[in-house]
Amino acid sequence: MARYRDRAAAADALIGQLPDDIGDDWLVLALPRGGVPVGAPIARHLGAAFDVLILRKVGAPGNPELALAAVTGPGPDQIAYNDALCVQLGMDHARVHAFAAPQIEEVARREALWRGVRPAQPLQGRKVLIVDDGMATGTTMAAAVQAVRAGGATRIAVAVPVALGDALDALRDRDLTVICPWPEAPLGGVGQAYAAFPQVPDEVVRAALEDAASGSGTAP
């Protein structure tokens, strides 16, 4: 498969593969920063609400790729625990919560930087499309799905332009709709799927959220 020109072209590819039942009654959640220039055009195309999911994984001691929990904020309802792994490692929720303190602080910092005083979109009872610019291992997206489900979403879909190797295996058996035009990509990194893959600055994330809040629809 040919590389995407940039994230905007990747968004177009995803739009072309969206199922008919994903429409303006969905919430599009982008994983910042790279998912924002992909998710914002999709939300505009659908006429759907747009937001970002500010998430940090809580890695297991000695193996940070194993996610003990996914943190989206400081409250007890904003930590989605991987109970099977917690039991396996002998860690109860209180211990994981204490272990998550640095990630909770980082989520708060990013919330203030990107969102300011604007509240996040509620997830309870919503249909949610989670978007990123690619999946390398699948662990971050799996944590995002876990957090969105814990937030009360009634249906979840995932849209990524590219997934490396067996990354999509992380989403199996999770009752999801997955849209991925380039699965099992034999690449060394997500950036190799793009001709242009610049860092996404904080200003782009802030502008996308401001545009979504105002309904102007001019996000990148």
Side-chain angles (χ1 to χ4, degrees), residues 51-81:
D51 203 351
V52 297
L53 180 64
I54 303 174
L55 174 142
R56 297 287 289 178
K57 290 184 300 181
V58 181
N63 191 346
E65 279 301 308
L66 282 178
L68 285 168
V71 176
T72 59
D77 61 339
Q78 293 176 294
I79 301 180
Y81 297 93

PDB file of all heavy atoms in Angstrom, residues 51-81:
ATOM      1  N   ASP A  51     -13.933  15.665  20.590  1.00  0.00           N
ATOM      2  CA  ASP A  51     -13.183  15.922  21.816  1.00  0.00           C
ATOM      3  C   ASP A  51     -11.895  15.115  21.743  1.00  0.00           C
ATOM      4  O   ASP A  51     -11.675  14.350  20.798  1.00  0.00           O
ATOM      5  CB  ASP A  51     -14.005  15.526  23.045  1.00  0.00           C
ATOM      6  CG  ASP A  51     -13.565  16.251  24.324  1.00  0.00           C
ATOM      7  OD1 ASP A  51     -12.523  16.936  24.299  1.00  0.00           O
ATOM      8  OD2 ASP A  51     -14.266  16.128  25.342  1.00  0.00           O
ATOM      9  N   VAL A  52     -11.034  15.303  22.724  1.00  0.00           N
ATOM     10  CA  VAL A  52      -9.832  14.484  22.836  1.00  0.00           C
ATOM     11  C   VAL A  52      -9.936  13.637  24.094  1.00  0.00           C
ATOM     12  O   VAL A  52     -10.605  14.012  25.063  1.00  0.00           O
ATOM     13  CB  VAL A  52      -8.543  15.333  22.875  1.00  0.00           C
ATOM     14  CG1 VAL A  52      -8.374  16.107  21.579  1.00  0.00           C
ATOM     15  CG2 VAL A  52      -8.523  16.269  24.071  1.00  0.00           C
ATOM     16  N   LEU A  53      -9.290  12.496  24.055  1.00  0.00           N
ATOM     17  CA  LEU A  53      -9.202  11.629  25.225  1.00  0.00           C
ATOM     18  C   LEU A  53      -7.785  11.736  25.762  1.00  0.00           C
ATOM     19  O   LEU A  53      -6.843  11.203  25.177  1.00  0.00           O
ATOM     20  CB  LEU A  53      -9.526  10.183  24.860  1.00  0.00           C
ATOM     21  CG  LEU A  53      -9.467   9.182  26.023  1.00  0.00           C
ATOM     22  CD1 LEU A  53     -10.523   9.516  27.072  1.00  0.00           C
ATOM     23  CD2 LEU A  53      -9.644   7.757  25.524  1.00  0.00           C
ATOM     24  N   ILE A  54      -7.640  12.479  26.852  1.00  0.00           N
ATOM     25  CA  ILE A  54      -6.330  12.669  27.469  1.00  0.00           C
ATOM     26  C   ILE A  54      -6.111  11.500  28.415  1.00  0.00           C
ATOM     27  O   ILE A  54      -6.750  11.399  29.461  1.00  0.00           O
ATOM     28  CB  ILE A  54      -6.256  14.017  28.194  1.00  0.00           C
ATOM     29  CG1 ILE A  54      -6.562  15.150  27.206  1.00  0.00           C
ATOM     30  CG2 ILE A  54      -4.884  14.216  28.827  1.00  0.00           C
ATOM     31  CD1 ILE A  54      -6.664  16.524  27.836  1.00  0.00           C
ATOM     32  N   LEU A  55      -5.229  10.622  28.027  1.00  0.00           N
ATOM     33  CA  LEU A  55      -5.097   9.332  28.695  1.00  0.00           C
ATOM     34  C   LEU A  55      -3.632   9.010  28.930  1.00  0.00           C
ATOM     35  O   LEU A  55      -2.773   9.313  28.102  1.00  0.00           O
ATOM     36  CB  LEU A  55      -5.743   8.250  27.822  1.00  0.00           C
ATOM     37  CG  LEU A  55      -5.604   6.791  28.248  1.00  0.00           C
ATOM     38  CD1 LEU A  55      -6.900   6.043  27.964  1.00  0.00           C
ATOM     39  CD2 LEU A  55      -4.447   6.107  27.519  1.00  0.00           C
ATOM     40  N   ARG A  56      -3.378   8.402  30.067  1.00  0.00           N
ATOM     41  CA  ARG A  56      -2.042   7.880  30.360  1.00  0.00           C
ATOM     42  C   ARG A  56      -2.179   6.445  30.850  1.00  0.00           C
ATOM     43  O   ARG A  56      -3.043   6.134  31.660  1.00  0.00           O
ATOM     44  CB  ARG A  56      -1.355   8.718  31.441  1.00  0.00           C
ATOM     45  CG  ARG A  56      -1.114  10.154  31.052  1.00  0.00           C
ATOM     46  CD  ARG A  56      -0.022  10.326  30.044  1.00  0.00           C
ATOM     47  NE  ARG A  56       1.291  10.059  30.622  1.00  0.00           N
ATOM     48  CZ  ARG A  56       2.428  10.105  29.938  1.00  0.00           C
ATOM     49  NH1 ARG A  56       2.411  10.360  28.646  1.00  0.00           N
ATOM     50  NH2 ARG A  56       3.576   9.873  30.535  1.00  0.00           N
ATOM     51  N   LYS A  57      -1.327   5.598  30.324  1.00  0.00           N
ATOM     52  CA  LYS A  57      -1.290   4.222  30.807  1.00  0.00           C
ATOM     53  C   LYS A  57      -0.513   4.156  32.118  1.00  0.00           C
ATOM     54  O   LYS A  57       0.467   4.869  32.305  1.00  0.00           O
ATOM     55  CB  LYS A  57      -0.600   3.311  29.795  1.00  0.00           C
ATOM     56  CG  LYS A  57      -1.359   3.059  28.525  1.00  0.00           C
ATOM     57  CD  LYS A  57      -0.621   2.068  27.645  1.00  0.00           C
ATOM     58  CE  LYS A  57       0.762   2.563  27.269  1.00  0.00           C
ATOM     59  NZ  LYS A  57       1.489   1.634  26.388  1.00  0.00           N
ATOM     60  N   VAL A  58      -0.950   3.282  33.006  1.00  0.00           N
ATOM     61  CA  VAL A  58      -0.199   2.970  34.222  1.00  0.00           C
ATOM     62  C   VAL A  58       0.458   1.620  33.977  1.00  0.00           C
ATOM     63  O   VAL A  58      -0.199   0.576  34.012  1.00  0.00           O
ATOM     64  CB  VAL A  58      -1.113   2.911  35.459  1.00  0.00           C
ATOM     65  CG1 VAL A  58      -0.285   2.619  36.711  1.00  0.00           C
ATOM     66  CG2 VAL A  58      -1.888   4.212  35.613  1.00  0.00           C
ATOM     67  N   GLY A  59       1.750   1.649  33.682  1.00  0.00           N
ATOM     68  CA  GLY A  59       2.458   0.422  33.348  1.00  0.00           C
ATOM     69  C   GLY A  59       2.761  -0.419  34.573  1.00  0.00           C
ATOM     70  O   GLY A  59       2.884   0.085  35.697  1.00  0.00           O
ATOM     71  N   ALA A  60       2.873  -1.707  34.348  1.00  0.00           N
ATOM     72  CA  ALA A  60       3.211  -2.626  35.438  1.00  0.00           C
ATOM     73  C   ALA A  60       4.663  -2.419  35.861  1.00  0.00           C
ATOM     74  O   ALA A  60       5.507  -2.036  35.042  1.00  0.00           O
ATOM     75  CB  ALA A  60       2.999  -4.064  34.980  1.00  0.00           C
ATOM     76  N   PRO A  61       4.975  -2.656  37.125  1.00  0.00           N
ATOM     77  CA  PRO A  61       6.363  -2.524  37.582  1.00  0.00           C
ATOM     78  C   PRO A  61       7.298  -3.412  36.760  1.00  0.00           C
ATOM     79  O   PRO A  61       7.064  -4.607  36.615  1.00  0.00           O
ATOM     80  CB  PRO A  61       6.300  -2.999  39.043  1.00  0.00           C
ATOM     81  CG  PRO A  61       4.878  -2.785  39.454  1.00  0.00           C
ATOM     82  CD  PRO A  61       4.060  -3.033  38.223  1.00  0.00           C
ATOM     83  N   GLY A  62       8.315  -2.792  36.174  1.00  0.00           N
ATOM     84  CA  GLY A  62       9.284  -3.536  35.385  1.00  0.00           C
ATOM     85  C   GLY A  62       8.864  -3.815  33.960  1.00  0.00           C
ATOM     86  O   GLY A  62       9.667  -4.302  33.162  1.00  0.00           O
ATOM     87  N   ASN A  63       7.603  -3.517  33.612  1.00  0.00           N
ATOM     88  CA  ASN A  63       7.131  -3.759  32.245  1.00  0.00           C
ATOM     89  C   ASN A  63       6.080  -2.709  31.898  1.00  0.00           C
ATOM     90  O   ASN A  63       4.880  -2.967  31.960  1.00  0.00           O
ATOM     91  CB  ASN A  63       6.547  -5.168  32.108  1.00  0.00           C
ATOM     92  CG  ASN A  63       6.297  -5.550  30.652  1.00  0.00           C
ATOM     93  OD1 ASN A  63       6.307  -4.696  29.768  1.00  0.00           O
ATOM     94  ND2 ASN A  63       6.078  -6.831  30.401  1.00  0.00           N
ATOM     95  N   PRO A  64       6.514  -1.510  31.517  1.00  0.00           N
ATOM     96  CA  PRO A  64       5.568  -0.408  31.303  1.00  0.00           C
ATOM     97  C   PRO A  64       4.597  -0.630  30.157  1.00  0.00           C
ATOM     98  O   PRO A  64       3.574   0.047  30.080  1.00  0.00           O
ATOM     99  CB  PRO A  64       6.490   0.791  31.023  1.00  0.00           C
ATOM    100  CG  PRO A  64       7.790   0.197  30.599  1.00  0.00           C
ATOM    101  CD  PRO A  64       7.912  -1.098  31.336  1.00  0.00           C
ATOM    102  N   GLU A  65       4.880  -1.575  29.247  1.00  0.00           N
ATOM    103  CA  GLU A  65       3.947  -1.834  28.152  1.00  0.00           C
ATOM    104  C   GLU A  65       2.722  -2.614  28.621  1.00  0.00           C
ATOM    105  O   GLU A  65       1.702  -2.644  27.939  1.00  0.00           O
ATOM    106  CB  GLU A  65       4.652  -2.590  27.020  1.00  0.00           C
ATOM    107  CG  GLU A  65       5.460  -1.688  26.095  1.00  0.00           C
ATOM    108  CD  GLU A  65       4.597  -0.613  25.440  1.00  0.00           C
ATOM    109  OE1 GLU A  65       3.561  -0.947  24.849  1.00  0.00           O
ATOM    110  OE2 GLU A  65       4.956   0.570  25.540  1.00  0.00           O
ATOM    111  N   LEU A  66       2.820  -3.277  29.772  1.00  0.00           N
ATOM    112  CA  LEU A  66       1.659  -3.957  30.349  1.00  0.00           C
ATOM    113  C   LEU A  66       0.855  -2.935  31.146  1.00  0.00           C
ATOM    114  O   LEU A  66       1.328  -2.425  32.157  1.00  0.00           O
ATOM    115  CB  LEU A  66       2.097  -5.102  31.266  1.00  0.00           C
ATOM    116  CG  LEU A  66       2.546  -6.405  30.611  1.00  0.00           C
ATOM    117  CD1 LEU A  66       2.992  -7.393  31.683  1.00  0.00           C
ATOM    118  CD2 LEU A  66       1.433  -7.008  29.774  1.00  0.00           C
ATOM    119  N   ALA A  67      -0.346  -2.629  30.693  1.00  0.00           N
ATOM    120  CA  ALA A  67      -1.131  -1.563  31.313  1.00  0.00           C
ATOM    121  C   ALA A  67      -1.961  -2.105  32.474  1.00  0.00           C
ATOM    122  O   ALA A  67      -2.892  -2.888  32.283  1.00  0.00           O
ATOM    123  CB  ALA A  67      -2.042  -0.911  30.285  1.00  0.00           C
ATOM    124  N   LEU A  68      -1.599  -1.678  33.690  1.00  0.00           N
ATOM    125  CA  LEU A  68      -2.394  -2.016  34.867  1.00  0.00           C
ATOM    126  C   LEU A  68      -3.711  -1.252  34.879  1.00  0.00           C
ATOM    127  O   LEU A  68      -4.722  -1.729  35.395  1.00  0.00           O
ATOM    128  CB  LEU A  68      -1.625  -1.670  36.145  1.00  0.00           C
ATOM    129  CG  LEU A  68      -0.485  -2.586  36.562  1.00  0.00           C
ATOM    130  CD1 LEU A  68       0.318  -1.924  37.669  1.00  0.00           C
ATOM    131  CD2 LEU A  68      -1.035  -3.924  37.030  1.00  0.00           C
ATOM    132  N   ALA A  69      -3.680  -0.044  34.330  1.00  0.00           N
ATOM    133  CA  ALA A  69      -4.864   0.807  34.338  1.00  0.00           C
ATOM    134  C   ALA A  69      -4.689   1.893  33.286  1.00  0.00           C
ATOM    135  O   ALA A  69      -3.582   2.129  32.787  1.00  0.00           O
ATOM    136  CB  ALA A  69      -5.078   1.434  35.715  1.00  0.00           C
ATOM    137  N   ALA A  70      -5.796   2.535  32.961  1.00  0.00           N
ATOM    138  CA  ALA A  70      -5.792   3.688  32.072  1.00  0.00           C
ATOM    139  C   ALA A  70      -6.369   4.862  32.848  1.00  0.00           C
ATOM    140  O   ALA A  70      -7.459   4.762  33.410  1.00  0.00           O
ATOM    141  CB  ALA A  70      -6.621   3.411  30.825  1.00  0.00           C
ATOM    142  N   VAL A  71      -5.637   5.965  32.891  1.00  0.00           N
ATOM    143  CA  VAL A  71      -6.010   7.124  33.696  1.00  0.00           C
ATOM    144  C   VAL A  71      -6.476   8.250  32.785  1.00  0.00           C
ATOM    145  O   VAL A  71      -5.779   8.632  31.844  1.00  0.00           O
ATOM    146  CB  VAL A  71      -4.814   7.606  34.543  1.00  0.00           C
ATOM    147  CG1 VAL A  71      -5.165   8.875  35.299  1.00  0.00           C
ATOM    148  CG2 VAL A  71      -4.371   6.523  35.509  1.00  0.00           C
ATOM    149  N   THR A  72      -7.665   8.787  33.068  1.00  0.00           N
ATOM    150  CA  THR A  72      -8.149   9.955  32.334  1.00  0.00           C
ATOM    151  C   THR A  72      -8.407  11.137  33.257  1.00  0.00           C
ATOM    152  O   THR A  72      -8.868  12.179  32.808  1.00  0.00           O
ATOM    153  CB  THR A  72      -9.444   9.628  31.564  1.00  0.00           C
ATOM    154  OG1 THR A  72     -10.445   9.192  32.489  1.00  0.00           O
ATOM    155  CG2 THR A  72      -9.197   8.544  30.524  1.00  0.00           C
ATOM    156  N   GLY A  73      -8.113  10.989  34.552  1.00  0.00           N
ATOM    157  CA  GLY A  73      -8.320  12.071  35.505  1.00  0.00           C
ATOM    158  C   GLY A  73      -8.102  11.577  36.919  1.00  0.00           C
ATOM    159  O   GLY A  73      -7.776  10.406  37.144  1.00  0.00           O
ATOM    160  N   PRO A  74      -8.292  12.445  37.915  1.00  0.00           N
ATOM    161  CA  PRO A  74      -7.971  12.096  39.298  1.00  0.00           C
ATOM    162  C   PRO A  74      -9.049  11.308  40.030  1.00  0.00           C
ATOM    163  O   PRO A  74      -8.774  10.679  41.051  1.00  0.00           O
ATOM    164  CB  PRO A  74      -7.778  13.464  39.958  1.00  0.00           C
ATOM    165  CG  PRO A  74      -8.680  14.367  39.179  1.00  0.00           C
ATOM    166  CD  PRO A  74      -8.640  13.864  37.757  1.00  0.00           C
ATOM    167  N   GLY A  75     -10.277  11.357  39.547  1.00  0.00           N
ATOM    168  CA  GLY A  75     -11.371  10.727  40.274  1.00  0.00           C
ATOM    169  C   GLY A  75     -11.347   9.213  40.180  1.00  0.00           C
ATOM    170  O   GLY A  75     -10.784   8.643  39.235  1.00  0.00           O
ATOM    171  N   PRO A  76     -11.962   8.529  41.147  1.00  0.00           N
ATOM    172  CA  PRO A  76     -11.994   7.070  41.108  1.00  0.00           C
ATOM    173  C   PRO A  76     -12.711   6.529  39.883  1.00  0.00           C
ATOM    174  O   PRO A  76     -12.431   5.412  39.439  1.00  0.00           O
ATOM    175  CB  PRO A  76     -12.731   6.694  42.407  1.00  0.00           C
ATOM    176  CG  PRO A  76     -13.451   7.927  42.829  1.00  0.00           C
ATOM    177  CD  PRO A  76     -12.632   9.075  42.343  1.00  0.00           C
ATOM    178  N   ASP A  77     -13.645   7.313  39.323  1.00  0.00           N
ATOM    179  CA  ASP A  77     -14.340   6.874  38.114  1.00  0.00           C
ATOM    180  C   ASP A  77     -13.557   7.214  36.853  1.00  0.00           C
ATOM    181  O   ASP A  77     -14.032   6.971  35.738  1.00  0.00           O
ATOM    182  CB  ASP A  77     -15.729   7.508  38.047  1.00  0.00           C
ATOM    183  CG  ASP A  77     -15.686   9.029  38.007  1.00  0.00           C
ATOM    184  OD1 ASP A  77     -14.657   9.607  38.429  1.00  0.00           O
ATOM    185  OD2 ASP A  77     -16.667   9.639  37.557  1.00  0.00           O
ATOM    186  N   GLN A  78     -12.351   7.772  37.004  1.00  0.00           N
ATOM    187  CA  GLN A  78     -11.520   8.125  35.854  1.00  0.00           C
ATOM    188  C   GLN A  78     -10.281   7.239  35.746  1.00  0.00           C
ATOM    189  O   GLN A  78      -9.344   7.557  35.029  1.00  0.00           O
ATOM    190  CB  GLN A  78     -11.105   9.598  35.941  1.00  0.00           C
ATOM    191  CG  GLN A  78     -12.282  10.554  35.786  1.00  0.00           C
ATOM    192  CD  GLN A  78     -11.856  11.998  35.962  1.00  0.00           C
ATOM    193  OE1 GLN A  78     -11.454  12.420  37.043  1.00  0.00           O
ATOM    194  NE2 GLN A  78     -11.935  12.761  34.889  1.00  0.00           N
ATOM    195  N   ILE A  79     -10.301   6.133  36.460  1.00  0.00           N
ATOM    196  CA  ILE A  79      -9.238   5.141  36.360  1.00  0.00           C
ATOM    197  C   ILE A  79      -9.889   3.809  36.005  1.00  0.00           C
ATOM    198  O   ILE A  79     -10.716   3.290  36.758  1.00  0.00           O
ATOM    199  CB  ILE A  79      -8.438   5.013  37.670  1.00  0.00           C
ATOM    200  CG1 ILE A  79      -7.803   6.352  38.041  1.00  0.00           C
ATOM    201  CG2 ILE A  79      -7.362   3.942  37.529  1.00  0.00           C
ATOM    202  CD1 ILE A  79      -6.996   6.321  39.318  1.00  0.00           C
ATOM    203  N   ALA A  80      -9.547   3.300  34.828  1.00  0.00           N
ATOM    204  CA  ALA A  80     -10.079   2.013  34.382  1.00  0.00           C
ATOM    205  C   ALA A  80      -9.013   0.953  34.639  1.00  0.00           C
ATOM    206  O   ALA A  80      -7.930   0.988  34.057  1.00  0.00           O
ATOM    207  CB  ALA A  80     -10.432   2.071  32.899  1.00  0.00           C
ATOM    208  N   TYR A  81      -9.315   0.017  35.528  1.00  0.00           N
ATOM    209  CA  TYR A  81      -8.338  -0.980  35.947  1.00  0.00           C
ATOM    210  C   TYR A  81      -8.382  -2.220  35.053  1.00  0.00           C
ATOM    211  O   TYR A  81      -9.458  -2.659  34.627  1.00  0.00           O
ATOM    212  CB  TYR A  81      -8.598  -1.405  37.393  1.00  0.00           C
ATOM    213  CG  TYR A  81      -8.439  -0.293  38.400  1.00  0.00           C
ATOM    214  CD1 TYR A  81      -9.540   0.463  38.801  1.00  0.00           C
ATOM    215  CD2 TYR A  81      -7.197   0.012  38.941  1.00  0.00           C
ATOM    216  CE1 TYR A  81      -9.404   1.491  39.721  1.00  0.00           C
ATOM    217  CE2 TYR A  81      -7.055   1.040  39.863  1.00  0.00           C
ATOM    218  CZ  TYR A  81      -8.160   1.771  40.248  1.00  0.00           C
ATOM    219  OH  TYR A  81      -8.022   2.795  41.156  1.00  0.00           O
TER     220      TYR A  81
END
